[in-house]
């Protein structure tokens, strides 16, 4: 199809359409720009909430609430958690990716999937399983254990994708200069993984800041668990707002550190010709130790949680499958997931269209606002919506619309990134040709651009659906009375120490998450191969 367009251009058939002109968006550039600006302003609501509440509190009171022993304790817990967990995730993620992609590891196709599988288990389900196995589990190192086993795939997936597309010529050149395998890895291969490592480390760090259920279950205090306690005791009190402001500040620091740590080096392959075949380092005597290490990691991160979920299901018998409790939770999870995914995908289109078809510093700035907001923990976003809805429009507090709006803000980048990639691969010349033949911009957009972008948009919607199905904190704070999702029902029953009753909800969250996790892994490999 692209070849036909190129031939038409060479024959001059598109001259009447105005060669080089960008296709008009369905509602005009100004309308799309206005929609994108409104979306950006809407996405900055949580930041505006934090700034407003800090200013309204007054500097003296704010400083008194921030600089107190409790905040110092939470800050120490958070810093230690991140300083230990993020490096461990980097070691496990990069190490697993290197074994799968760059060694003669046996069964590497199976291990490639198994190392991504723990991502299908929500961290609070992982914590539930480990508490079932070791009831005395609590404190910092318990948090490190659960967080590491839950989040190392966030590093493994991008690292494996990067290694699979890394040109082995750089390693061959290093070997020709006399560097051994290990020296070549640390001096040549590891620097090429900088983007994957910094991006994966950022995701791990943001998840650590946002996580509530996993740490609350093992009685490990973080900013998120403390904010939730403050909210439940004083209903969005001043102390909770100040904790939220500190949490937002830490998130912004993480974003700045990640951007600066990317560096300015070029990682793209610019030479001509076919890429050389990857060299696989023989493991020899290390084959069985590598197999046992991966087996142990997989059993701890995926096998143990699944085992204890199934164990509690067997222990609970048929009584835990009461249809009047389980079916409504499953249906509401599916409905909220579908509605949130659809709304997020629709909202993402104007921003993505402006970023791809009318790229400028203006569109990049608008797009950046969404990433900043999505990095904030769900509890901060939820508190912003609670405050705004109660003070400005009380009638919408705890309604489905507010909850869906929070989902949109939290997970907009998941749809935006996919739609942007889909639009970039949809030739604008086809839209131009359709408009040159007399088709109105809206009709040509639906018939051409929208159809070509649909697969990418569906992938983004699937990722948003997965995130909503496992979302806990925002749903607990914003859901209408009577709402029962798999995550909230699981949390309700596990909080009452009804571990058998919570097991079916955990199992279905895993069943829903597993295909989406596999899709994410396959998509990363597909992108790596392009």
């Amino acid at each position: 199809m692209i070849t036909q367009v190129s031939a038409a251009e060479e024959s001059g058939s598109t001259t009447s359409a105005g060669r080089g002109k960008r296709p008009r968006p369905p509602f005009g550039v100004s309308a799309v720009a206005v929609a994108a600006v409104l979306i950006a302003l809407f996405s900055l609501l949580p930041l505006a909430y934090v700034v407003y509440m800090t200013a309204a509190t007054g500097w003296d009171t704010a400083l008194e609430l921030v600089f107190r022993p409790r905040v110092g304790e939470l800050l120490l817990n958070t810093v230690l958690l991140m300083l230990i967990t993020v490096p461990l995730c980097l070691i496990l993620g990069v190490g697993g990716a290197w074994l799968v992609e760059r060694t003669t590891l046996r069964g590497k196709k199976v291990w490639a999937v198994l190392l991504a599988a723990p991502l299908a288990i929500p961290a609070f389900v992982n914590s539930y399983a480990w508490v079932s196995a070791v009831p005395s589990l609590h404190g910092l190192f318990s948090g490190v254990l659960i967080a590491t086993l839950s989040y190392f795939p966030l590093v493994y997936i991008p690292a494996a994708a990067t290694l699979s597309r890394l040109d082995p010529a750089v390693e061959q050149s290093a070997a020709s200069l006399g560097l051994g395998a290990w020296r070549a890895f640390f001096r040549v291969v590891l620097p090429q993984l900088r983007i994957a490592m910094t991006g994966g480390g950022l995701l791990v760090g943001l998840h650590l800041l946002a996580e509530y259920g996993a740490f609350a279950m093992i009685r490990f205090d973080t900013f998120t668990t403390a904010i939730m306690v403050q909210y439940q005791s004083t209903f969005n009190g001043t102390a909770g707002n100040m904790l939220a402001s500190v949490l937002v500040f830490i998130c912004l620091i993480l974003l700045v550190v990640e951007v600066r740590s990317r560096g300015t080096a070029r990682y793209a392959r610019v030479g001509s010709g076919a890429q050389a075949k990857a060299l696989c380092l023989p493991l020899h005597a290390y084959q069985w130790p590598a197999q046992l290490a991966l087996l142990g990691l997989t059993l701890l991160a995926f096998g143990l949680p699944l085992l204890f979920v199934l164990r509690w299901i067997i222990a609970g018998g048929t009584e835990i499958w009461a249809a009047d409790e389980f079916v409504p939770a499953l249906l509401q999870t599916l409905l909220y997931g579908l509605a949130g995914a659809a709304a997020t995908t629709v909202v993402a289109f104007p921003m993505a269209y402006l970023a791809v078809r009318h790229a400028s510093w203006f569109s990049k700035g608008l797009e950046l606002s969404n990433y900043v907001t999505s990095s904030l923990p769900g509890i901060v976003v939820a508190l912003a919506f609670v405050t705004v809805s109660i003070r400005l429009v009380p009638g919408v507090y705890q309604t489905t619309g507010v909850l869906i709006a929070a989902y949109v803000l939290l997970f907009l980048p998941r749809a935006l990134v996919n739609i942007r990639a889909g639009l970039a691969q949809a030739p604008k010349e086809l839209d131009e040709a359709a408009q040159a033949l007399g088709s109105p911009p809206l009709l040509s957009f639906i018939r051409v651009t929208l159809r070509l972008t649909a697969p990418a948009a569906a992938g983004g919607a699937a990722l948003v659906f997965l995130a909503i199905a496992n979302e806990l904190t925002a749903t607990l704070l914003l859901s209408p009375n009577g709402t029962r999702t798999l995550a909230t029902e699981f949390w309700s029953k596990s909080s009452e120490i009804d571990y058998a009753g919570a097991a079916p909800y955990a199992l279905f969250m895993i069943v829903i998450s597993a295909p989406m996790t596999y899709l994410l892994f396959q998509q990363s490999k597909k992108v790596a191969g392009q």
Side-chain angles (χ1 to χ4, degrees):
M1 188 175 295
I2 297 175
T3 303
Q4 293 174 354
V5 171
S6 299
E9 288 179 344
E10 292 174 0
S11 64
S13 61
T14 59
T15 304
S16 60
R19 183 180 299 174
K21 291 183 178 179
R22 293 174 177 173
R24 290 183 296 165
F27 301 104
V29 176
S30 58
V32 174
V34 169
V37 169
L38 292 176
I39 293 168
L41 292 175
F42 174 65
S43 68
L44 291 175
L45 177 64
L47 277 178
Y49 153 77
V50 172
V51 173
Y52 171 78
M53 294 306 298
T54 303
T57 301
W59 286 111
D60 292 338
T61 304
L63 292 175
E64 182 181 347
L65 290 172
V66 169
F67 293 98
R68 56 192 175 106
R70 176 57 173 166
V71 176
E73 177 187 343
L74 296 174
L75 184 61
L76 180 62
N77 285 350
T78 301
V79 171
L80 290 176
L81 179 69
M82 297 181 65
L83 288 179
I84 300 173
T85 303
V86 173
L88 286 176
C89 288
L90 289 173
I91 293 171
L92 293 177
V94 173
W98 182 75
L99 284 173
V100 169
E101 298 293 338
R102 280 291 192 268
T103 70
T104 56
L105 182 73
R106 296 173 186 171
K108 58 175 58 181
K109 291 185 178 180
V110 175
W111 288 121
V113 176
L114 288 178
L115 287 174
L119 205 59
I121 301 180
F124 53 85
V125 173
N126 208 342
S127 184
Y128 151 89
W130 275 93
V131 169
S132 299
V134 187
S136 61
L137 211 62
H138 73 282
L140 172 63
F141 291 102
S142 299
V144 169
L145 171 68
I146 293 169
T148 301
L149 295 176
S150 298
Y151 297 134
F152 82 86
L154 295 173
V155 178
Y156 163 74
I157 291 177
T162 301
L163 283 173
S164 68
R165 70 172 178 265
L166 180 64
D167 193 344
V170 296
E171 297 169 77
Q172 295 170 359
S173 299
S176 67
L177 294 174
L179 293 181
W182 286 109
R183 291 178 64 191
F185 173 77
F186 285 105
R187 295 183 60 179
V188 178
V189 176
L190 197 60
Q192 300 291 320
L193 297 175
R194 172 183 284 188
I195 299 296
M197 292 173 64
T198 55
L202 174 66
L203 288 177
V204 173
L206 293 177
H207 276 76
L208 293 176
L209 294 178
E211 182 58 45
Y212 165 67
F215 298 139
M217 194 167 289
I218 59 172
R219 304 180 303 282
F220 176 62
D221 292 337
T222 65
F223 278 102
T224 302
T225 60
I227 293 171
M228 182 66 80
V229 170
Q230 288 286 340
Y231 175 85
Q232 292 172 338
S233 60
T234 61
F235 194 72
N236 197 23
T238 304
N241 292 328
M242 291 303 99
L243 292 177
S245 67
V246 177
L247 188 56
V248 169
F249 182 70
I250 297 175
C251 289
L252 295 179
I253 289 178
L254 278 183
L255 288 175
V256 172
V257 170
E258 191 273 337
V259 170
R260 293 184 63 86
S261 63
R262 293 178 192 173
T264 57
R266 185 182 181 92
Y267 300 96
R269 179 173 176 267
V270 296
S272 60
Q275 178 171 303
K277 185 178 180 180
L279 297 176
C280 291
L281 182 68
L283 289 177
H284 299 306
Y286 295 100
Q287 180 71 239
W288 284 111
Q291 295 282 345
L292 291 175
L294 294 181
L295 177 61
L297 179 60
T298 303
L299 288 177
L300 292 176
F302 186 77
L304 185 144
L306 188 60
L307 173 65
F308 273 90
V309 168
L310 295 176
R311 178 183 173 182
W312 281 116
I313 287 177
I314 294 173
T318 58
E319 297 178 359
I320 61 176
W321 296 94
D324 59 336
E325 293 186 4
F326 183 77
V327 173
L330 177 60
L331 291 178
Q332 289 194 36
T333 299
L334 295 176
L335 289 175
Y336 275 115
L338 291 173
T344 305
T345 303
V346 171
V347 170
F349 252 104
M351 191 78 71
Y353 193 97
L354 200 66
V356 174
R357 295 292 170 83
H358 300 272
S360 65
W361 64 267
F362 176 71
S363 60
K364 290 180 180 178
L366 294 178
E367 187 179 6
L368 180 63
S369 66
N370 295 282
Y371 295 114
V372 171
T373 300
S374 68
S375 70
L376 303 181
I379 192 167
V380 175
V381 175
L383 288 175
F385 275 91
V386 168
T387 303
V388 171
S389 59
I390 289 178
R391 297 191 177 188
L392 300 181
V393 277
V396 302
Y397 175 61
Q398 283 194 320
T399 61
T400 298
V402 171
L403 181 57
I404 296 298
Y407 288 153
V408 170
L409 283 196
L410 285 170
F411 308 123
L412 184 61
R414 300 189 182 214
L416 181 59
V417 169
N418 281 268
I419 295 173
R420 186 180 60 185
L423 284 171
Q425 294 175 353
K428 62 185 174 80
E429 291 83 359
L430 296 179
D431 207 349
E432 291 173 353
Q435 294 183 25
L437 293 174
S439 179
L442 178 58
L443 192 58
S444 65
F445 174 80
I446 294 175
R447 289 182 175 179
V448 179
T449 304
L450 188 60
R451 188 175 65 180
L452 293 175
T453 312
L463 293 178
V464 174
F465 175 87
L466 170 62
I468 293 174
N470 296 329
E471 206 287 323
L472 180 62
T473 51
T475 308
L476 285 173
L477 293 178
L478 297 174
S479 60
N481 292 329
T483 297
R484 303 167 68 178
T485 67
L486 293 175
T488 59
E489 284 300 290
F490 167 84
W491 183 249
S492 174
K493 292 185 177 298
S494 61
S495 298
E496 298 171 355
I497 321 298
D498 183 7
Y499 285 1
Y505 302 97
L507 179 62
F508 266 81
M509 280 189 285
I510 296 174
V511 170
I512 291 175
S513 302
M516 300 296 103
T517 301
Y518 182 75
L519 174 65
L520 175 63
F521 175 72
Q522 289 297 105
Q523 186 68 23
S524 70
K525 302 294 287 186
K526 184 185 298 184
V527 172
Q530 291 178 352

